């Protein structure tokens, strides 16, 4: 027995071809050519099948990759593109809205500034007119007080001239305000010293008041009722309480002029009264609170030294 020279399979003597690879064992050239052609055709067939299978596999792989990877990526890319377009549209709309709001704010600021300027101008004009009106009223009040004082003096003179004649009705005219009959106490002296030393600090602890027009009118016509004071932050007088007693002193708001400087004598005994002179408090006037704690009546005049 021998082995096939091609596939090494065992064959018997006298056997024409290998049972495994069909190799012509008798070395017949014609059979060898036929065998070689057969091998070639088989090889070509296998190659064709391989190429077809390879192409099919590649196409299948490409389709699978396209389906599993490329298509989802493209879809995601399209979604991202749409989202980007939407965001861009939102940003453009937001920028447009912000621009409009900014323009509106700037316009409002300009309007506010213009209104503030106009308001400041009007306030200045109103303040000037108010000052003029206050000055006119102050002048009128001063003239009225002077007229009242003149009438009072004339009435008193008339009463004095008629006092020797009998009358069915007895008429009495009280003093313009309570007189300072009591001597200056230690407490009043100490309070006056503190007032004269630092009026600003003193005024921070006091209540600013002004005499009511009604009580002043009654005083001017000779009524026996006393002057009533009421709270007024711009009042010309201040009230401060010391050890249960309430006193009246001139406030920092008091500005004497030719129309009102005589009125201070209703509440204080003024020594050497002068229109533009500085004064020193010798004795504070004394007041008492009325029910409710919002008004006070004059009990005793004070003393001022000019």
């Amino acid at each position: 027995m021998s082995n096939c020279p091609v596939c090494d399979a065992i064959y018997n003597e006298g056997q024409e071809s290998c049972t495994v690879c069909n190799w012509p064992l008798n070395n017949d050239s014609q059979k060898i050519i036929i065998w070689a052609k057969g091998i070639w055709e088989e090889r070509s067939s296998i190659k064709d099948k391989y190429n077809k299978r390879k192409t099919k596999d590649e196409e299948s792989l490409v389709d699978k990759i396209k389906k599993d990877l490329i298509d989802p990526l493209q879809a995601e890319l399209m979604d991202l593109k749409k989202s980007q377009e939407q965001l861009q549209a939102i940003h453009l709309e937001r920028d447009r809205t912000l621009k409009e709001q900014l323009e509106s704010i700037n316009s409002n600021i300009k309007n506010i500034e213009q209104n503030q300027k106009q308001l400041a101008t009007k306030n200045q004009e109103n303040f000037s007119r108010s000052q003029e009106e206050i000055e006119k009223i102050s002048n009128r009040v001063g003239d009225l007080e002077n007229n009242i004082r003149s009438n009072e003096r004339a009435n008193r003179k008339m009463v004095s001239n008629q006092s020797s004649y009998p009358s069915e009705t007895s008429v009495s005219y009280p003093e313009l305000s309570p007189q300072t009959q009591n001597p200056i106490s230690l407490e009043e002296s100490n309070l006056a010293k503190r007032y004269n030393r630092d009026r600003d600090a003193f005024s921070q602890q006091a209540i600013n008041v002004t005499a009511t027009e009604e009580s002043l009118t009654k005083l001017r016509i000779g009524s026996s009722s006393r002057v009533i004071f009421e709270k007024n932050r711009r009042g010309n007088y201040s009230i401060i309480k010391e050890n249960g007693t309430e006193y009246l002193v001139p406030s920092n708001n008091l500005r004497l002029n030719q129309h009102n400087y005589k009125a201070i004598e209703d509440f204080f005994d003024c020594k050497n009264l002068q229109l533009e002179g500085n004064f020193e408090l010798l004795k504070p006037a004394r007041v008492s609170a009325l029910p409710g704690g919002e008004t006070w009546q004059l009990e005793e005049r004070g003393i001022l030294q000019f």
Side-chain angles (χ1 to χ4, degrees), residues 35-51:
W35 179 87
K37 286 182 178 181
I39 293 297
W40 174 260
E41 290 176 356
E42 184 178 357
R43 178 181 177 280
S44 297
S45 176
I46 292 172
K47 184 177 180 181
D48 291 341
K49 290 179 180 180
Y50 170 77
N51 289 334

Side-chain angles (χ1 to χ4, degrees), residues 238-255:
S238 298
I239 291 177
I240 189 164
K241 192 171 185 178
E242 288 279 324
N243 298 323
T245 303
E246 293 177 296
Y247 296 101
L248 179 79
V249 298
S251 74
N252 285 341
N253 296 327
L254 180 62
R255 299 291 183 270

